[in-house]
Amino acid sequence: MNNLQNRVIRLRVTCMAGPSLYEPCVRYLDLLPGMTLFDVHTTLQDSIRFDDSEPFYFFQASTWNGQRDCIPPTLDLDPLKETIDIDLYDELPFAEHLPDAGSGRHLYDMTFGENGDWCFQIDRVEDLPQILPDEYYPAVASELSEGPDPFQYEESPDDPEDLEKHSRADEDEDDDCDCHDEHCACGGDAEEESRRTGPAEDGEDWALQQLLKELESDDDEA
């Protein structure tokens, strides 16, 4: 492993197939060399905000829908993968199961789903200096993310605007924040919005109330 104890392995995860995959989805995960395949799976699930409630298994292959070499190999004998022991992945170092560079093979995470299965291709991108304390790993390199999170349970939204809202999920979460802290991820927008628009009264339109107040003010001056 070339003495990588003080380094981080960055993985690129690409969603190859799923029952409600409408746009490309790529995530980057940073893990320490001694971490396990179970760590890869849970971090992957976190990166796309899946709830990690479904069984899964890993395999190596040249293409996601081609001939598979399951991990562990005993799964190759089980077409329906009914003998998966998920706990086993917590004992298998992920770095030992990453295909060699240039081999034309990839590591895959196949996750079963309510409406169909999800397949994620996992590739080693680069080794990085360890710049954070151990307790911060595994980590998701969110700034490198490409595409919105897939819908884990939903089918295609009836309203195209729903898909657009889903693509801006992180943005929407920030908008919901009302902490008024300029150092928060929301940037203190809630306080600024309150100053800009003012409070609504009894569910009426605030702009209409402002107009009425201005008209009353003009009448008083007259």
Side-chain angles (χ1 to χ4, degrees), residues 27 43-52 148-150 152-153 166-171 173:
R27 299 292 182 266
T43 309
L44 187 166
Q45 292 272 302
D46 182 62
S47 74
I48 55 176
R49 287 184 289 192
F50 278 21
D51 62 14
D52 193 21
D149 298 329
Q152 182 175 6
Y153 297 111
H166 181 73
S167 300
R168 303 194 313 265
D170 290 331
E171 232 177 87
E173 285 183 356

Side-chain angles (χ1 to χ4, degrees), residues 109-200:
D109 176 324
M110 179 65 76
T111 300
F112 297 106
E114 207 173 76
N115 301 315
D117 300 340
W118 294 88
C119 186
F120 302 93
Q121 178 177 307
I122 302 167
D123 294 299
R124 184 175 186 157
V125 178
E126 58 182 326
D127 297 334
L128 306 167
Q130 184 176 329
I131 57 175
L132 297 175
D134 290 1
E135 59 264 30
Y136 287 99
Y137 292 101
V140 179
S142 302
E143 69 279 5
L144 301 177
S145 295
E146 300 173 23
D149 298 329
F151 291 84
Q152 182 175 6
Y153 297 111
E154 302 175 39
E155 296 181 359
S156 177
D158 294 330
D159 186 347
E161 291 186 2
D162 289 343
L163 184 58
E164 182 180 354
K165 290 176 183 176
H166 181 73
S167 300
R168 303 194 313 265
D170 290 331
E171 232 177 87
D172 294 341
E173 285 183 356
D174 291 344
D175 291 343
D176 290 339
C177 180
D178 59 356
C179 68
H180 309 315
D181 182 355
E182 63 179 356
H183 299 296
C184 174
C186 73
D189 288 343
E191 184 177 15
E192 175 62 27
E193 183 69 11
S194 176
R195 288 198 298 267
R196 185 175 64 82
T197 62

Side-chain angles (χ1 to χ4, degrees), residues 211-221:
L211 177 60
L212 293 175
K213 288 180 181 178
E214 290 176 4
L215 292 175
E216 289 177 1
S217 176
D218 291 342
D219 290 340
D220 293 341
E221 290 178 359

Side-chain angles (χ1 to χ4, degrees), residues 3-130:
N3 194 25
L4 292 177
Q5 286 83 354
N6 295 319
R7 300 182 71 80
V8 173
I9 297 177
R10 173 160 289 174
L11 304 176
R12 179 177 60 244
V13 178
T14 305
C15 188
M16 304 301 293
S20 52
L21 179 65
Y22 307 114
E23 298 184 44
C25 175
V26 181
R27 299 292 182 266
Y28 290 81
L29 316 180
D30 293 342
L31 293 93
L32 300 179
M35 291 179 172
T36 68
L37 285 172
F38 195 86
D39 291 320
V40 173
H41 175 78
T42 55
T43 309
L44 187 166
Q45 292 272 302
D46 182 62
S47 74
I48 55 176
R49 287 184 289 192
F50 278 21
D51 62 14
D52 193 21
S53 63
E54 306 291 350
F56 64 93
Y57 70 96
F58 286 93
F59 65 91
Q60 289 188 15
S62 298
T63 60
W64 73 269
N65 55 356
Q67 180 65 41
R68 301 176 182 180
D69 293 324
C70 293
I71 304 170
T74 52
L75 279 180
D76 288 324
L77 305 176
D78 179 7
L80 299 180
K81 305 300 181 279
E82 295 177 329
T83 57
I84 294 174
D85 181 3
I86 292 174
D87 292 338
L88 178 65
Y89 292 120
D90 204 18
E91 302 172 2
L92 301 178
F94 82 95
E96 295 180 8
H97 295 277
L98 290 172
D100 295 332
S103 68
R105 292 171 63 82
H106 311 275
L107 177 66
Y108 292 92
D109 176 324
M110 179 65 76
T111 300
F112 297 106
E114 207 173 76
N115 301 315
D117 300 340
W118 294 88
C119 186
F120 302 93
Q121 178 177 307
I122 302 167
D123 294 299
R124 184 175 186 157
V125 178
E126 58 182 326
D127 297 334
L128 306 167
Q130 184 176 329

